Amino acid sequence: MATARADAALPGTARPQIRSHPARSAAAASRTALGALILRDLMVLKKHFGEFVARTLVQPFLLVFVFLYVFPTIGQGIGGGGGARSESAFATVLVPGVVGISIMFQGIQAVALQLAAEFGYTREIEDRVQAPCPIWLVASAKVLSGAVQGMISALLVFPIAAVVHAKGVHADLSYHWWIVLTLIPLACVAMTSLGLLLGTTFEARNIGLMFGFVVLPLTFLGGTYYEWTRLAPVKVGGFPWLQTVVLVNPLIYINEGMRAALTDAPHMHLYVVYPVLIGFLALFLGLGLRNFRRRVLS
């Protein structure tokens, strides 16, 4: 034993090298950090779930209440003025649109409004980006946690549509589950990616401009109250200009996809809806991550 120790201490004798390896890869650490960030947002949502439900239900409740209860009750001609049959046909068109608009508003509220506040007066975002994880991971957590909130808001629409309507008026829903289970998550992530882009583009003091110049046009030209195919008669010189212009609106594809998922009404082809929504998602997310990095590092 003594001889071995003496030999190890001799000059030029090879010494054993101490090597250390990280306990997990960078990808595994990023996944853990992403999960922790999402869990943090969901825990905050759980603590304020009552406020979330109230905020989420107001708009779809008012839309369904006014169009499916008040107007038929007072004899207002909704759905072509053809009585309960036409009003039920309008309800069938409206309910998928309400689901789509709820997803859009929740994506903007959950991401854009929060980011505007965190980049503004609260400066809460500084605590997140100082964590030992990539900057894009913080933004991605915002998008994914907001998507979960969007899916919850979409589910809350169906009880409202089932209960709030006038006598004889009902939405003729026919569920196509493979579309429901694929389109709703895709739409939620696309709209929260839009929320990321808007939240990193508009300052907190300009939120009113965001709603006036972006959100309202998306809402009224997004096919919430009508089918895209119904816009064909709006023409100038034989050209269906409005039906063409609204194709730049991502909400039109969500609402048309929801009609394919929830009804048997005419709708845009799904081989158009899915690729275009994926394209919008990639565009919004790419620009949003770029803006987020610029805002954080500025």
Side-chain angles (χ1 to χ4, degrees):
M1 181 68 68
T3 305
R5 289 178 180 173
D7 292 341
L10 292 176
T13 305
R15 298 179 180 179
Q17 296 181 353
I18 299 176
R19 297 178 180 177
S20 62
H21 299 280
R24 55 187 174 180
S25 65
S30 296
R31 287 195 299 270
T32 302
L34 179 63
L37 289 169
I38 294 174
L39 182 61
R40 183 264 180 197
D41 288 339
L42 295 181
M43 288 299 294
V44 173
L45 175 65
K46 182 180 178 181
K47 292 181 179 180
H48 303 280
F49 191 73
E51 298 175 12
F52 165 77
V53 172
R55 182 182 73 236
T56 302
L57 290 182
V58 168
Q59 186 183 44
F61 173 79
L62 289 177
L63 286 174
V64 173
F65 177 72
V66 170
F67 285 111
L68 303 188
Y69 180 78
V70 175
F71 280 3
T73 301
I74 66 177
Q76 191 77 23
I78 296 297
R85 183 176 180 179
S86 296
E87 290 162 353
S88 295
F90 176 74
T92 304
V93 171
L94 179 66
V95 171
V98 173
V99 175
I101 202 174
S102 298
I103 290 174
M104 186 195 74
F105 268 91
Q106 190 56 48
I108 293 174
Q109 289 177 338
V111 181
L113 295 185
Q114 283 193 10
L115 282 177
E118 292 176 3
F119 277 119
Y121 58 90
T122 68
R123 306 303 298 175
E124 182 182 340
I125 199 67
E126 294 179 357
D127 297 333
R128 307 278 190 91
V129 297
Q130 288 177 1
C133 60
I135 292 176
W136 64 266
L137 205 66
V138 178
S140 299
K142 283 281 187 184
V143 169
L144 294 178
S145 62
V148 174
Q149 297 178 44
M151 286 188 278
I152 296 173
S153 68
L155 294 177
L156 293 176
V157 172
F158 296 103
I160 298 175
V163 174
V164 183
H165 55 76
K167 185 178 180 180
V169 178
H170 65 278
D172 185 16
L173 301 182
S174 178
Y175 297 94
H176 302 88
W177 288 107
W178 75 268
I179 306 176
V180 172
L181 296 177
T182 55
L183 186 70
I184 289 181
L186 175 62
C188 290
V189 177
M191 289 298 96
T192 50
S193 298
L194 175 61
L196 176 66
L197 176 60
L198 295 177
T200 54
T201 301
F202 287 89
E203 300 286 346
R205 62 180 181 273
N206 295 327
I207 290 299
L209 293 176
M210 181 187 76
F211 277 94
F213 289 95
V214 179
V215 178
L216 283 180
L218 290 179
T219 301
F220 287 102
L221 297 176
T224 302
Y225 316 103
Y226 49 82
E227 299 152 298
W228 177 74
T229 54
R230 295 281 188 174
L231 297 177
V234 183
K235 298 180 179 179
V236 171
F239 176 69
W241 67 272
L242 186 58
Q243 193 179 41
T244 303
V245 168
V246 299
L247 292 177
V248 301
N249 187 345
L251 185 59
I252 197 80
Y253 301 95
I254 294 175
N255 288 335
E256 288 294 301
M258 289 301 168
R259 291 191 180 100
L262 303 177
T263 72
D264 293 321
H267 55 80
M268 189 182 294
H269 292 295
L270 291 176
Y271 59 72
V272 174
V273 171
Y274 278 94
V276 173
L277 271 183
I278 293 172
F280 274 120
L281 189 160
L283 176 65
F284 295 151
L285 185 60
L287 294 177
L289 290 176
R290 184 199 65 181
N291 288 357
F292 185 84
R293 182 177 181 83
R294 289 179 177 177
R295 292 287 297 274
V296 166
L297 298 179
S298 62

